[in-house]
Amino acid sequence: MDPEFVREVMSNKNYVFEEAKESLSSILFNGDSDRTEAGFFDGSVESWNDEDMIDGAKWVDRLVSEMTKAINIDDMRRRVAVILEALESIIKKNTNASKKLEYASMKESLQSLINDNQILKRVIANQHQRSSENEEKAKQVLHLRGVVGQYQEQVHKLELSNYAMKLHLQRSQQQQTSFSGNLPPDIY
């Protein structure tokens, strides 16, 4: 209620509280035009701007403001109901916005993980291919070492055989020269 209006009613009733209270009640409940002036609740709350109402202190100030405008308990209940509905809608909007941000963030993280996974799959495929190639090369090297060992053994045998033939050839040449000078020519 307007404090000036209450003072005026109090002064008219000689500052007798009970009389002023009855007078104010009769004014408010008899449909006097002063009741809208006194702040009678018509079912709507002043504009509830989302940007203005983010801060909790502003909600408290608005709630106190609306409660001071209330005429009686029923009016106060209606005002509180509207305020709570406005608060609920703002909380839902903020929750939905935060969920959308969280969803977008999770979607971005998931996309990043998918990209990383694809990169890792390619790296693993390349590593597997290199590993297979290295295993194949290792098998070839092992096979070639075996072949080289066989060839070295054959070369060694051939060298021994060559040496033995060389010695045999030298002995046969020595024997031929020793026989050719010691034998009578008519024998041959």
Side-chain angles (χ1 to χ4, degrees), residues 121-149:
K121 281 182 180 179
R122 280 188 246 136
V123 167
I124 288 172
N126 286 341
Q127 286 295 91
H128 181 68
Q129 183 180 2
R130 287 181 184 169
S131 176
S132 297
E133 289 172 359
N134 286 340
E135 286 177 11
E136 188 64 34
K137 287 179 183 178
K139 286 179 184 177
Q140 288 177 353
V141 166
L142 192 61
H143 175 71
L144 291 175
R145 281 185 183 165
V147 170
V148 166

Side-chain angles (χ1 to χ4, degrees), residues 10-26:
M10 287 289 283
S11 67
N12 289 342
K13 298 298 178 182
N14 296 324
Y15 295 99
V16 177
F17 181 73
E18 289 299 321
E19 290 179 10
K21 180 179 161 187
E22 287 177 17
S23 176
L24 286 171
S25 295
S26 67

Side-chain angles (χ1 to χ4, degrees), residues 35-51:
R35 80 182 186 187
T36 49
E37 202 176 286
F40 183 74
F41 185 60
D42 61 358
S44 66
V45 179
E46 296 174 9
S47 66
W48 295 87
N49 191 354
D50 291 349
E51 291 81 26

Side-chain angles (χ1 to χ4, degrees), residues 2 5 22 28 41 43 121 134 142 145 152 155-156 158 174 187-188:
D2 185 22
F5 181 71
E22 287 177 17
L28 290 174
F41 185 60
K121 281 182 180 179
N134 286 340
L142 192 61
R145 281 185 183 165
Q152 285 176 341
V155 166
H156 183 66
L158 289 173
Q174 282 176 359
I187 296 179
Y188 285 109

